[in-house]
Amino acid sequence: MKSMGEMLLSTGGGSEIVIGNTAIVRAMLEAGVRVATSYPGSPTPEIASAIASIPRERNPMYFEFSVNEKVATEVAFGASINGHLSCVFFKSVGLNVAADTFVQLSMMELIGGMVIVLGDDPGANSSQNEQDNRHYAHLSYTPVFEPATPSEVYVMFKQAAELSKKLRMPVIVRLSTHVCHAKEKVDFGPMPAHEHGNKPLFSMENGPYIPIAADALKMKRRALHKFWALKDLVEELPVNILEDNSSERGVITAGAPYLSLMDVLEEVEDKPDVLKLGIVHPLPKNRILQFLKAHKEVKILEELDDLLEREIKAFAYDNGLSTRILGKGDLEDWIGEYTPDKVREVLSKCWPDTFKPVNEPDSPVKLNARPAQMCPGCGHRSAFHAIKLALKDTDITVADIGCHTLGYLEPYRVGQVLLCMGHSTGTAAGLSMFNDSRRVVAFLGDSTFFHAGLPGIVNAVFNKHNLTLIIMENGTTAMTGHQDHPAVGRNFNDVSRKIPVRQVLEGLGVNNIREIDTYNQAGLKEYVEAALEEEGFKVIIAKHPCMLKFTREMRKKGKKLPRPVKVGEKCNLKYVCVGRFACPSYQIADGGKVWVQEDLCIGDRSCVQTCPSQAIEPVE
Amino acid sequence: MNKFDIYLAGVGGQGIGLLSETLARAVDYSGQRVIGADTHGLAQRGGMVSSHLRIGTGAHSVLITRYSADLVVALERHEALRGTLDYLKDGGTLVYYDAVWQPLDVRLRRAAQVRNEDIEAEAARKKAKVLRVFKEDLADSRMQNVIVMAELSKAKLIPGVEKEHYIAALSDLLSGRALEVNLKAFEEVSG
């Protein structure tokens, strides 16, 4: 596959090794998605990268990164009620941001159809929790497909789109980290022809669209009718898999845990039968009852919460079945990703004769984890190094979400509490009340500023809170892959008018603003010291372009990077560079000498000012 | 059981992703079924980055069960030890490029840097073969992953995958000068 774009557009289809996030884009094109929206968040950003590989003028689909998941859902909704098939995708906790909009979708007549792709994250690989978004589906009567492999992602997205268009209701395709990032050869079918007109089909006849007073209940009744109609439909949908080993024992499962189960069963003699559900809401009730009746004991192998367990037990009770249903064993079964190791552990609790936990080999060697690090030259490192010098031990620092979250790590330890994106100013305001001694400092990234940071800032001005906010402006959404944000001057598709952070702050009535480049550590330290002594709401914009993005662009243009630095003779092992500034380029040699790893150092020299002995020199 | 598991590990920025993608395609060119998964997200910023590759019809999850990888391929010494500890099976094979990007606790002088002897001792405990890879005169450190791949090819460490499969895979993913430079480095080592 020379070019992903050509493969995604190919009329004949064919098979290709792709990840789930790429397979879903082929499905979007085949299904005729016209408008797709998102906000970057792992594990879903690579969906946008696949879309970006399609030449703009040949892509029938419009895509944008909206400013947050709520707005992205609203844009997709607007397109759908005008008759265009739309799709919104974001990470698990993004659904919390979009919830106010999302819960209303099932009450609306989505004449174009709308698929919501969720990137759940069991095991919290890169999220602030491992929340089970299936609860949202129950809350809003929204059906949920749950693919386990990239091939199933490809097939199920198209089924979800068909269902959504047919019943004019929202449908969720729920992915998880190791389905989004799973890689396998997927067979793509031919590309159907779609005529995408520009006729706006929005009409009040499909309404009501305003859920006020009596209409709200009428719209709910319509949503329930659609959901009830689905209950029969899902019995026939070819998405459930039965592994028949003619056993008295059975397992009901769904999603990637099914694959883990199949691995565990490879070396098991008397394998239980397995029913793998492709749709987990609503459940194919008769199919499940049939399976329960055929077994004496059935284990519900379910990652995260016990939704399947409760519903299946209710089915069994309603039908007077005596099948023994085994749900979650203990609280550990609620926690963590159902990898093959975890599934073996879970099954060993209910069927110890058949499943033994993995035996841990005994090795005396202990190796600490290797945490993520701010990159060599990162402006945030310079900022944290300077800010730390200005802070007292009693000050309270409130982190937010972005690369700058890494400030909480050693040796900086700047950032002590974190809720979610954009929480920092609000949380800091609360921390500053009835607090006679401990100064409060909040941090906020420039992408998060637009995403969810604005309301907290407006509130701080409006309610006259007393805190210092430091905005870490690196000119990109770095953490998730350098997507552009409204202050950059470019969106996913085109150049766009910059919305400068400082002007927004001034427009919101913030009158105490300082702005400085984070490489000017002495200046930043002074600003922080001064601001912390002033009353009211103070903002410091600590700026430096993301150096990973900068060096990548330099390399792409074939430009040479500046020469790295080295530790000179004047070094007398104060270890500030390696131990407090802690750029990963500095390494410790045997015997305690410090040296610079030239594969890492990008020659930015933000470290030179940190050495008390002025021992850091450029390499000729 | 028809399966061969390869666990790849390194540090974000060392090119684990390209190595994993190239190996997956090389296996595919050899006519065998291959599935896998890479680490994405914040871990790629200087954290531990791993990739799972699973060959054969006996592999279902994209994640390798701990202590059961047939082959561990690492691009950094500490991650070579971690991969051996967490994933390598008894009697498996470790191939690692001997680059060192010290993790935080070593840089903060809280832990000693891993030595090659530590890796050999751990491999011996598991009766595993070890192939240390190091090319003194390597001009560009970002070529370390191709050098390791050339060693895998030369020693035929992935069953059924021959030199031409690696080359076809590389040609799929790279083009122009990048392909030229990588193929040259590959040929020099794989012979």
Side-chain angles (χ1 to χ4, degrees), chain A residues 566-596:
Chain A
K566 69 177 177 4
V567 177
E569 268 61 39
K570 284 193 274 177
C571 168
N572 44 32
L573 301 179
K574 288 273 193 292
Y575 294 121
V576 173
C577 58
V578 67
R580 293 231 311 279
F581 188 66
C583 169
S585 312
Y586 286 97
Q587 314 270 303
I588 295 275
D590 295 345
K593 273 190 120 351
V594 184
W595 58 286
V596 174

PDB file of all heavy atoms in Angstrom, chain A residues 566-596:
ATOM      1  N   LYS A 566      27.245  20.155  25.262  1.00  0.00           N
ATOM      2  CA  LYS A 566      27.966  19.138  26.037  1.00  0.00           C
ATOM      3  C   LYS A 566      28.311  19.705  27.406  1.00  0.00           C
ATOM      4  O   LYS A 566      28.203  20.928  27.627  1.00  0.00           O
ATOM      5  CB  LYS A 566      29.241  18.716  25.279  1.00  0.00           C
ATOM      6  CG  LYS A 566      30.316  19.788  25.199  1.00  0.00           C
ATOM      7  CD  LYS A 566      31.556  19.190  24.486  1.00  0.00           C
ATOM      8  CE  LYS A 566      32.716  20.068  24.220  1.00  0.00           C
ATOM      9  NZ  LYS A 566      32.894  21.380  24.603  1.00  0.00           N
ATOM     10  N   VAL A 567      28.677  18.787  28.311  1.00  0.00           N
ATOM     11  CA  VAL A 567      29.029  19.226  29.668  1.00  0.00           C
ATOM     12  C   VAL A 567      30.532  19.483  29.679  1.00  0.00           C
ATOM     13  O   VAL A 567      31.333  18.584  29.396  1.00  0.00           O
ATOM     14  CB  VAL A 567      28.670  18.124  30.704  1.00  0.00           C
ATOM     15  CG1 VAL A 567      29.102  18.557  32.106  1.00  0.00           C
ATOM     16  CG2 VAL A 567      27.170  17.824  30.664  1.00  0.00           C
ATOM     17  N   GLY A 568      30.933  20.727  29.979  1.00  0.00           N
ATOM     18  CA  GLY A 568      32.349  21.106  29.916  1.00  0.00           C
ATOM     19  C   GLY A 568      33.084  20.834  31.216  1.00  0.00           C
ATOM     20  O   GLY A 568      32.525  20.298  32.181  1.00  0.00           O
ATOM     21  N   GLU A 569      34.373  21.274  31.235  1.00  0.00           N
ATOM     22  CA  GLU A 569      35.252  20.999  32.389  1.00  0.00           C
ATOM     23  C   GLU A 569      34.724  21.666  33.661  1.00  0.00           C
ATOM     24  O   GLU A 569      34.925  21.168  34.769  1.00  0.00           O
ATOM     25  CB  GLU A 569      36.672  21.544  32.129  1.00  0.00           C
ATOM     26  CG  GLU A 569      37.624  20.512  31.501  1.00  0.00           C
ATOM     27  CD  GLU A 569      37.083  20.073  30.136  1.00  0.00           C
ATOM     28  OE1 GLU A 569      36.561  20.965  29.438  1.00  0.00           O
ATOM     29  OE2 GLU A 569      37.113  18.870  29.822  1.00  0.00           O
ATOM     30  N   LYS A 570      34.030  22.800  33.494  1.00  0.00           N
ATOM     31  CA  LYS A 570      33.676  23.575  34.715  1.00  0.00           C
ATOM     32  C   LYS A 570      32.624  22.827  35.555  1.00  0.00           C
ATOM     33  O   LYS A 570      32.244  23.267  36.631  1.00  0.00           O
ATOM     34  CB  LYS A 570      33.127  24.949  34.298  1.00  0.00           C
ATOM     35  CG  LYS A 570      34.237  25.920  33.835  1.00  0.00           C
ATOM     36  CD  LYS A 570      33.714  27.358  33.725  1.00  0.00           C
ATOM     37  CE  LYS A 570      33.076  27.576  32.338  1.00  0.00           C
ATOM     38  NZ  LYS A 570      32.496  28.934  32.199  1.00  0.00           N
ATOM     39  N   CYS A 571      32.183  21.669  35.040  1.00  0.00           N
ATOM     40  CA  CYS A 571      31.119  20.945  35.785  1.00  0.00           C
ATOM     41  C   CYS A 571      31.657  20.466  37.124  1.00  0.00           C
ATOM     42  O   CYS A 571      32.714  19.839  37.195  1.00  0.00           O
ATOM     43  CB  CYS A 571      30.650  19.731  34.962  1.00  0.00           C
ATOM     44  SG  CYS A 571      29.628  18.614  35.937  1.00  0.00           S
ATOM     45  N   ASN A 572      30.952  20.826  38.215  1.00  0.00           N
ATOM     46  CA  ASN A 572      31.361  20.240  39.515  1.00  0.00           C
ATOM     47  C   ASN A 572      30.182  19.494  40.154  1.00  0.00           C
ATOM     48  O   ASN A 572      29.890  19.597  41.337  1.00  0.00           O
ATOM     49  CB  ASN A 572      31.930  21.294  40.451  1.00  0.00           C
ATOM     50  CG  ASN A 572      31.077  22.554  40.434  1.00  0.00           C
ATOM     51  OD1 ASN A 572      29.854  22.443  40.240  1.00  0.00           O
ATOM     52  ND2 ASN A 572      31.697  23.708  40.597  1.00  0.00           N
ATOM     53  N   LEU A 573      29.479  18.772  39.271  1.00  0.00           N
ATOM     54  CA  LEU A 573      28.487  17.766  39.700  1.00  0.00           C
ATOM     55  C   LEU A 573      27.442  18.331  40.653  1.00  0.00           C
ATOM     56  O   LEU A 573      27.102  17.733  41.670  1.00  0.00           O
ATOM     57  CB  LEU A 573      29.210  16.571  40.350  1.00  0.00           C
ATOM     58  CG  LEU A 573      30.225  15.843  39.436  1.00  0.00           C
ATOM     59  CD1 LEU A 573      30.892  14.710  40.184  1.00  0.00           C
ATOM     60  CD2 LEU A 573      29.571  15.351  38.157  1.00  0.00           C
ATOM     61  N   LYS A 574      26.886  19.498  40.283  1.00  0.00           N
ATOM     62  CA  LYS A 574      25.760  20.020  41.083  1.00  0.00           C
ATOM     63  C   LYS A 574      24.468  19.262  40.699  1.00  0.00           C
ATOM     64  O   LYS A 574      23.471  19.303  41.414  1.00  0.00           O
ATOM     65  CB  LYS A 574      25.578  21.518  40.785  1.00  0.00           C
ATOM     66  CG  LYS A 574      26.701  22.382  41.389  1.00  0.00           C
ATOM     67  CD  LYS A 574      26.367  22.754  42.825  1.00  0.00           C
ATOM     68  CE  LYS A 574      27.275  23.854  43.355  1.00  0.00           C
ATOM     69  NZ  LYS A 574      28.682  23.402  43.527  1.00  0.00           N
ATOM     70  N   TYR A 575      24.487  18.590  39.525  1.00  0.00           N
ATOM     71  CA  TYR A 575      23.372  17.774  39.030  1.00  0.00           C
ATOM     72  C   TYR A 575      22.074  18.564  38.842  1.00  0.00           C
ATOM     73  O   TYR A 575      20.993  17.979  38.868  1.00  0.00           O
ATOM     74  CB  TYR A 575      23.100  16.589  39.989  1.00  0.00           C
ATOM     75  CG  TYR A 575      24.236  15.580  40.044  1.00  0.00           C
ATOM     76  CD1 TYR A 575      24.876  15.300  41.248  1.00  0.00           C
ATOM     77  CD2 TYR A 575      24.688  14.947  38.892  1.00  0.00           C
ATOM     78  CE1 TYR A 575      25.929  14.391  41.310  1.00  0.00           C
ATOM     79  CE2 TYR A 575      25.733  14.032  38.935  1.00  0.00           C
ATOM     80  CZ  TYR A 575      26.353  13.766  40.150  1.00  0.00           C
ATOM     81  OH  TYR A 575      27.404  12.869  40.208  1.00  0.00           O
ATOM     82  N   VAL A 576      22.151  19.862  38.595  1.00  0.00           N
ATOM     83  CA  VAL A 576      20.904  20.614  38.329  1.00  0.00           C
ATOM     84  C   VAL A 576      20.371  20.209  36.945  1.00  0.00           C
ATOM     85  O   VAL A 576      19.195  19.899  36.774  1.00  0.00           O
ATOM     86  CB  VAL A 576      21.172  22.148  38.376  1.00  0.00           C
ATOM     87  CG1 VAL A 576      19.902  22.894  37.929  1.00  0.00           C
ATOM     88  CG2 VAL A 576      21.572  22.556  39.795  1.00  0.00           C
ATOM     89  N   CYS A 577      21.302  20.143  35.959  1.00  0.00           N
ATOM     90  CA  CYS A 577      20.857  19.853  34.578  1.00  0.00           C
ATOM     91  C   CYS A 577      20.155  18.505  34.506  1.00  0.00           C
ATOM     92  O   CYS A 577      19.078  18.366  33.916  1.00  0.00           O
ATOM     93  CB  CYS A 577      22.064  19.862  33.640  1.00  0.00           C
ATOM     94  SG  CYS A 577      23.315  18.673  34.121  1.00  0.00           S
ATOM     95  N   VAL A 578      20.738  17.482  35.153  1.00  0.00           N
ATOM     96  CA  VAL A 578      20.196  16.123  35.009  1.00  0.00           C
ATOM     97  C   VAL A 578      19.166  15.817  36.090  1.00  0.00           C
ATOM     98  O   VAL A 578      18.243  15.050  35.874  1.00  0.00           O
ATOM     99  CB  VAL A 578      21.360  15.101  35.044  1.00  0.00           C
ATOM    100  CG1 VAL A 578      22.009  15.065  36.439  1.00  0.00           C
ATOM    101  CG2 VAL A 578      20.895  13.739  34.615  1.00  0.00           C
ATOM    102  N   GLY A 579      19.302  16.495  37.269  1.00  0.00           N
ATOM    103  CA  GLY A 579      18.448  16.104  38.399  1.00  0.00           C
ATOM    104  C   GLY A 579      17.295  17.037  38.694  1.00  0.00           C
ATOM    105  O   GLY A 579      16.285  16.620  39.245  1.00  0.00           O
ATOM    106  N   ARG A 580      17.415  18.335  38.301  1.00  0.00           N
ATOM    107  CA  ARG A 580      16.301  19.265  38.621  1.00  0.00           C
ATOM    108  C   ARG A 580      15.677  19.782  37.325  1.00  0.00           C
ATOM    109  O   ARG A 580      14.479  19.755  37.150  1.00  0.00           O
ATOM    110  CB  ARG A 580      16.811  20.414  39.498  1.00  0.00           C
ATOM    111  CG  ARG A 580      17.251  19.927  40.894  1.00  0.00           C
ATOM    112  CD  ARG A 580      16.627  20.734  42.040  1.00  0.00           C
ATOM    113  NE  ARG A 580      16.780  22.183  41.806  1.00  0.00           N
ATOM    114  CZ  ARG A 580      17.909  22.868  42.085  1.00  0.00           C
ATOM    115  NH1 ARG A 580      18.956  22.230  42.557  1.00  0.00           N
ATOM    116  NH2 ARG A 580      17.977  24.153  41.866  1.00  0.00           N
ATOM    117  N   PHE A 581      16.495  20.239  36.374  1.00  0.00           N
ATOM    118  CA  PHE A 581      15.957  20.615  35.059  1.00  0.00           C
ATOM    119  C   PHE A 581      15.529  19.336  34.334  1.00  0.00           C
ATOM    120  O   PHE A 581      14.485  19.268  33.725  1.00  0.00           O
ATOM    121  CB  PHE A 581      17.018  21.378  34.268  1.00  0.00           C
ATOM    122  CG  PHE A 581      16.504  21.968  32.987  1.00  0.00           C
ATOM    123  CD1 PHE A 581      15.541  22.988  33.022  1.00  0.00           C
ATOM    124  CD2 PHE A 581      16.951  21.495  31.767  1.00  0.00           C
ATOM    125  CE1 PHE A 581      15.049  23.529  31.833  1.00  0.00           C
ATOM    126  CE2 PHE A 581      16.454  22.039  30.582  1.00  0.00           C
ATOM    127  CZ  PHE A 581      15.516  23.052  30.616  1.00  0.00           C
ATOM    128  N   ALA A 582      16.372  18.335  34.460  1.00  0.00           N
ATOM    129  CA  ALA A 582      16.035  16.941  34.083  1.00  0.00           C
ATOM    130  C   ALA A 582      15.608  16.765  32.623  1.00  0.00           C
ATOM    131  O   ALA A 582      14.681  16.017  32.324  1.00  0.00           O
ATOM    132  CB  ALA A 582      14.922  16.420  35.013  1.00  0.00           C
ATOM    133  N   CYS A 583      16.312  17.424  31.709  1.00  0.00           N
ATOM    134  CA  CYS A 583      16.059  17.134  30.289  1.00  0.00           C
ATOM    135  C   CYS A 583      16.567  15.721  30.014  1.00  0.00           C
ATOM    136  O   CYS A 583      17.666  15.367  30.452  1.00  0.00           O
ATOM    137  CB  CYS A 583      16.809  18.143  29.411  1.00  0.00           C
ATOM    138  SG  CYS A 583      16.809  17.663  27.664  1.00  0.00           S
ATOM    139  N   PRO A 584      15.772  14.880  29.297  1.00  0.00           N
ATOM    140  CA  PRO A 584      16.180  13.471  29.107  1.00  0.00           C
ATOM    141  C   PRO A 584      17.503  13.334  28.357  1.00  0.00           C
ATOM    142  O   PRO A 584      18.110  12.263  28.363  1.00  0.00           O
ATOM    143  CB  PRO A 584      15.053  12.871  28.268  1.00  0.00           C
ATOM    144  CG  PRO A 584      13.992  13.878  28.131  1.00  0.00           C
ATOM    145  CD  PRO A 584      14.482  15.165  28.669  1.00  0.00           C
ATOM    146  N   SER A 585      18.006  14.411  27.724  1.00  0.00           N
ATOM    147  CA  SER A 585      19.283  14.305  26.990  1.00  0.00           C
ATOM    148  C   SER A 585      20.449  14.093  27.958  1.00  0.00           C
ATOM    149  O   SER A 585      21.475  13.531  27.579  1.00  0.00           O
ATOM    150  CB  SER A 585      19.537  15.578  26.183  1.00  0.00           C
ATOM    151  OG  SER A 585      18.386  15.926  25.455  1.00  0.00           O
ATOM    152  N   TYR A 586      20.296  14.588  29.208  1.00  0.00           N
ATOM    153  CA  TYR A 586      21.395  14.442  30.181  1.00  0.00           C
ATOM    154  C   TYR A 586      21.379  13.035  30.756  1.00  0.00           C
ATOM    155  O   TYR A 586      20.332  12.543  31.201  1.00  0.00           O
ATOM    156  CB  TYR A 586      21.260  15.485  31.297  1.00  0.00           C
ATOM    157  CG  TYR A 586      21.640  16.877  30.827  1.00  0.00           C
ATOM    158  CD1 TYR A 586      20.690  17.793  30.417  1.00  0.00           C
ATOM    159  CD2 TYR A 586      22.989  17.237  30.734  1.00  0.00           C
ATOM    160  CE1 TYR A 586      21.048  19.049  29.944  1.00  0.00           C
ATOM    161  CE2 TYR A 586      23.363  18.500  30.263  1.00  0.00           C
ATOM    162  CZ  TYR A 586      22.389  19.398  29.872  1.00  0.00           C
ATOM    163  OH  TYR A 586      22.759  20.630  29.403  1.00  0.00           O
ATOM    164  N   GLN A 587      22.525  12.384  30.731  1.00  0.00           N
ATOM    165  CA  GLN A 587      22.654  11.013  31.235  1.00  0.00           C
ATOM    166  C   GLN A 587      23.762  10.980  32.289  1.00  0.00           C
ATOM    167  O   GLN A 587      24.655  11.817  32.283  1.00  0.00           O
ATOM    168  CB  GLN A 587      23.015  10.058  30.086  1.00  0.00           C
ATOM    169  CG  GLN A 587      22.184  10.257  28.809  1.00  0.00           C
ATOM    170  CD  GLN A 587      20.927   9.414  28.765  1.00  0.00           C
ATOM    171  OE1 GLN A 587      20.972   8.184  28.858  1.00  0.00           O
ATOM    172  NE2 GLN A 587      19.795  10.073  28.672  1.00  0.00           N
ATOM    173  N   ILE A 588      23.658   9.968  33.146  1.00  0.00           N
ATOM    174  CA  ILE A 588      24.659   9.825  34.223  1.00  0.00           C
ATOM    175  C   ILE A 588      25.627   8.710  33.818  1.00  0.00           C
ATOM    176  O   ILE A 588      25.207   7.595  33.532  1.00  0.00           O
ATOM    177  CB  ILE A 588      23.951   9.419  35.544  1.00  0.00           C
ATOM    178  CG1 ILE A 588      23.025  10.542  36.006  1.00  0.00           C
ATOM    179  CG2 ILE A 588      24.982   9.077  36.624  1.00  0.00           C
ATOM    180  CD1 ILE A 588      23.677  11.623  36.807  1.00  0.00           C
ATOM    181  N   ALA A 589      26.915   9.015  33.816  1.00  0.00           N
ATOM    182  CA  ALA A 589      27.906   7.963  33.497  1.00  0.00           C
ATOM    183  C   ALA A 589      28.275   7.249  34.794  1.00  0.00           C
ATOM    184  O   ALA A 589      27.993   7.743  35.892  1.00  0.00           O
ATOM    185  CB  ALA A 589      29.149   8.613  32.898  1.00  0.00           C
ATOM    186  N   ASP A 590      28.879   6.058  34.621  1.00  0.00           N
ATOM    187  CA  ASP A 590      29.368   5.372  35.844  1.00  0.00           C
ATOM    188  C   ASP A 590      30.292   6.349  36.567  1.00  0.00           C
ATOM    189  O   ASP A 590      31.022   7.099  35.939  1.00  0.00           O
ATOM    190  CB  ASP A 590      30.168   4.113  35.442  1.00  0.00           C
ATOM    191  CG  ASP A 590      29.220   3.118  34.752  1.00  0.00           C
ATOM    192  OD1 ASP A 590      27.980   3.331  34.902  1.00  0.00           O
ATOM    193  OD2 ASP A 590      29.671   2.230  34.021  1.00  0.00           O
ATOM    194  N   GLY A 591      30.242   6.341  37.879  1.00  0.00           N
ATOM    195  CA  GLY A 591      31.117   7.249  38.628  1.00  0.00           C
ATOM    196  C   GLY A 591      30.498   8.629  38.775  1.00  0.00           C
ATOM    197  O   GLY A 591      31.069   9.500  39.405  1.00  0.00           O
ATOM    198  N   GLY A 592      29.310   8.847  38.202  1.00  0.00           N
ATOM    199  CA  GLY A 592      28.557  10.066  38.511  1.00  0.00           C
ATOM    200  C   GLY A 592      28.807  11.232  37.570  1.00  0.00           C
ATOM    201  O   GLY A 592      28.203  12.292  37.712  1.00  0.00           O
ATOM    202  N   LYS A 593      29.632  11.079  36.577  1.00  0.00           N
ATOM    203  CA  LYS A 593      29.825  12.210  35.645  1.00  0.00           C
ATOM    204  C   LYS A 593      28.567  12.365  34.787  1.00  0.00           C
ATOM    205  O   LYS A 593      27.817  11.407  34.587  1.00  0.00           O
ATOM    206  CB  LYS A 593      31.035  11.921  34.731  1.00  0.00           C
ATOM    207  CG  LYS A 593      32.365  12.375  35.364  1.00  0.00           C
ATOM    208  CD  LYS A 593      33.497  12.311  34.339  1.00  0.00           C
ATOM    209  CE  LYS A 593      34.186  13.651  34.049  1.00  0.00           C
ATOM    210  NZ  LYS A 593      33.605  14.859  34.585  1.00  0.00           N
ATOM    211  N   VAL A 594      28.337  13.575  34.295  1.00  0.00           N
ATOM    212  CA  VAL A 594      27.135  13.835  33.490  1.00  0.00           C
ATOM    213  C   VAL A 594      27.560  14.012  32.032  1.00  0.00           C
ATOM    214  O   VAL A 594      28.580  14.658  31.743  1.00  0.00           O
ATOM    215  CB  VAL A 594      26.423  15.129  33.975  1.00  0.00           C
ATOM    216  CG1 VAL A 594      25.125  15.338  33.199  1.00  0.00           C
ATOM    217  CG2 VAL A 594      26.147  15.050  35.475  1.00  0.00           C
ATOM    218  N   TRP A 595      26.795  13.394  31.115  1.00  0.00           N
ATOM    219  CA  TRP A 595      27.104  13.595  29.680  1.00  0.00           C
ATOM    220  C   TRP A 595      25.796  13.778  28.914  1.00  0.00           C
ATOM    221  O   TRP A 595      24.721  13.466  29.433  1.00  0.00           O
ATOM    222  CB  TRP A 595      27.909  12.414  29.125  1.00  0.00           C
ATOM    223  CG  TRP A 595      27.253  11.079  29.241  1.00  0.00           C
ATOM    224  CD1 TRP A 595      27.100  10.331  30.368  1.00  0.00           C
ATOM    225  CD2 TRP A 595      26.639  10.341  28.180  1.00  0.00           C
ATOM    226  NE1 TRP A 595      26.432   9.173  30.083  1.00  0.00           N
ATOM    227  CE2 TRP A 595      26.143   9.137  28.757  1.00  0.00           C
ATOM    228  CE3 TRP A 595      26.439  10.551  26.797  1.00  0.00           C
ATOM    229  CZ2 TRP A 595      25.466   8.167  28.006  1.00  0.00           C
ATOM    230  CZ3 TRP A 595      25.771   9.580  26.057  1.00  0.00           C
ATOM    231  CH2 TRP A 595      25.306   8.399  26.659  1.00  0.00           C
ATOM    232  N   VAL A 596      25.915  14.271  27.667  1.00  0.00           N
ATOM    233  CA  VAL A 596      24.736  14.573  26.858  1.00  0.00           C
ATOM    234  C   VAL A 596      24.602  13.536  25.748  1.00  0.00           C
ATOM    235  O   VAL A 596      25.537  13.315  24.969  1.00  0.00           O
ATOM    236  CB  VAL A 596      24.837  15.992  26.233  1.00  0.00           C
ATOM    237  CG1 VAL A 596      23.663  16.228  25.277  1.00  0.00           C
ATOM    238  CG2 VAL A 596      24.851  17.049  27.332  1.00  0.00           C
TER     239      VAL A 596
END
